[in-house]
Amino acid sequence: RVGRCGGQRGGAPEYMVRLSALVPLLLRSAPPHCCRVSPRWLRSAPPRSSAGAPPPPLEPLDPVAADMQGGALAPPPPPDPALTADVWLQRETVRYGGAASDAAYLTSYAPFTVDGNHTRAVLLLAAGRGLAAPAAEPDEQTLRSLADRIALSCECVVLLPRLSGGTARWQHGRLLSEADAAARYLNAAHGAQALGVVALGEAGCVAAELHAQGALESHALVTLVPPRVPHEALRALDAPLLCVLGEAAGQASEMAEALALNPRLRGEYFVRHFAGCRQDFLLAPGSEREAEAADQAVSLALAFLDRHVPEGVAAGVPR
């Protein structure tokens, strides 16, 4: 790994994200030409408020009852429904006047949604190559599962616009218009005052350049498997950056060197290279090794967002 991540920023509290994998959210079939492994992060985890609860006590084994059943034990009870994502998340499709013609996917931590108490939001942007091979666009359900994981783990609201048509349709001006409309909607409809941006594939390159130009603002930027981010943009960024890369290690070291020359970041950046993983390992891992790397990458993104996107901005104090 290269790069570094600095200390606490803006008084935001630092949390330990617990990633208990409990219920698979998605099972994907393998394409005929390769081995497809479902990403390990496509599993729900209890929110922070319940993750620390002690496990229920184990029922004592009754050897007499087991012997009466011929030594066969009773089947395990079904999973506790209180620990499934369906209980803790509120999902819907919304329209907010952005450039995307299709309705966007909105998922949020239900207790805060019901109380109207959301203060932070995450905008998830995905467009272009580097996301899923051989398809030109990533699988929509996979992206929705990623949005659910962010909303559940960070206890926030996540908006996923459908950026169909590939990167050619989502260059700087169009993507900026979409992000601006989405941010305004999250503020007006959910009262979000703090924003994190997670951009996948080539959308990550465009989002980084927009941040560097001052056109797009957020409390934290996470770029996942971007093909290449210009060094000029890295030296001009003013938002904390997490960049996850696969394939060549040379790009990771070059990015870290460019970020080290950026005085605005004050060390608030981290570049993580997963050696030996293909560019599309995050959403379409081809082996157990890549699935484990994808899980680690998502865990890094969750911890980074939780650290740098503050809660309680509207009230002036963290929750």
Side-chain angles (χ1 to χ4, degrees), residues 122-126 146 150 196-200 207 220-224 301 305:
V122 173
L123 179 60
L124 181 57
L125 303 171
L146 177 57
I150 296 172
V197 174
V198 178
L200 293 91
L221 172 63
V222 177
T223 59
L224 302 176
L305 291 169

Side-chain angles (χ1 to χ4, degrees), residues 238-249:
D238 61 357
L241 173 69
L242 168 66
C243 183
V244 172
L245 299 170
E247 293 187 340

